[in-house]
C-alpha cells in the first residue's frame, strides 16, 4: 500500500458534522413543526363541530320547508328536512370528533 491511499482519520466533531449533514440531505432528520392556526385545541374542535351541527340542521330545515312549499305540504317538508339536517349534523360531528390514526395515539390504551 502507498501512503497516498491512507487518509487522516476524522476527529469525532468532524465525523459528527459529516453525519449530521448527510442525514439532513437524505431527509432523515425532521425539523420541528411550528404550530399553526390549523392545529386547534379541544375547545376549537368542539366549537367547530357545534357550528357545523347547527348549520347542517338549519340547511336541512330550510330545504325541507322549500320542498314542502313546492309539493304542498309545508309542515311535513319542514319535519322531514329538520330530521335529515339533524342526522347530517350528527354525522358531521361524529366524523369530526373521532380521532384519526396519528392523533391521540395513547387514547385507546
Amino acid at each position: 500500500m502507498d501512503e497516498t491511499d491512507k487518509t487522516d482519520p476524522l476527529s469525532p466533531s468532524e465525523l459528527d458534522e459529516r453525519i449530521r449533514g448527510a442525514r439532513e440531505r437524505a431527509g432523515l432528520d425532521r425539523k420541528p413543526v411550528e404550530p399553526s392556526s390549523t392545529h386547534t385545541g379541544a375547545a376549537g374542535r368542539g366549537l367547530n363541530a357545534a357550528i357545523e351541527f347547527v348549520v347542517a340542521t338549519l340547511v336541512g330545515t330550510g330545504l325541507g320547508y322549500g320542498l314542502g312549499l313546492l309539493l304542498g305540504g309545508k309542515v311535513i317538508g319542514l319535519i322531514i328536512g329538520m330530521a335529515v339536517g339533524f342526522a347530517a349534523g350528527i354525522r358531521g360531528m361524529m366524523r369530526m370528533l373521532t380521532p384519526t390514526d396519528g392523533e391521540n395515539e395513547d387514547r385507546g390504551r
Side-chain angles (χ1 to χ4, degrees):
M1 277 192 180
D2 285 34
E3 285 192 36
T4 57
D5 291 341
K6 295 181 181 179
T7 59
D8 292 331
L10 295 174
S11 69
S13 62
E14 290 173 334
L15 182 61
D16 186 46
E17 196 64 36
R18 288 183 68 181
I19 290 173
R20 190 176 303 125
R23 288 180 65 86
E24 280 182 18
R25 284 190 302 275
L28 297 175
D29 288 337
R30 295 184 183 205
K31 295 180 181 174
V33 177
E34 294 291 325
S36 66
S37 61
T38 58
H39 298 294
T40 58
R45 287 192 314 242
L47 182 64
N48 197 7
I51 290 171
E52 183 176 329
F53 173 76
V54 168
V55 168
T57 303
L58 289 177
V59 167
T61 302
L63 289 175
Y65 182 74
L67 208 66
L69 281 176
L70 290 176
L71 299 177
K74 289 190 285 188
V75 175
I76 296 297
L78 182 74
I79 291 171
I80 290 173
M82 190 180 297
V84 169
F86 185 81
I90 292 291
R91 182 175 182 262
M93 245 179 24
M94 294 301 292
R95 178 178 40 89
M96 186 181 300
L97 296 178
T98 52
T100 58
D101 291 337
E103 183 178 302
N104 297 332
E105 293 175 355
D106 60 341
R107 179 180 252 178
R109 292 180 191 178

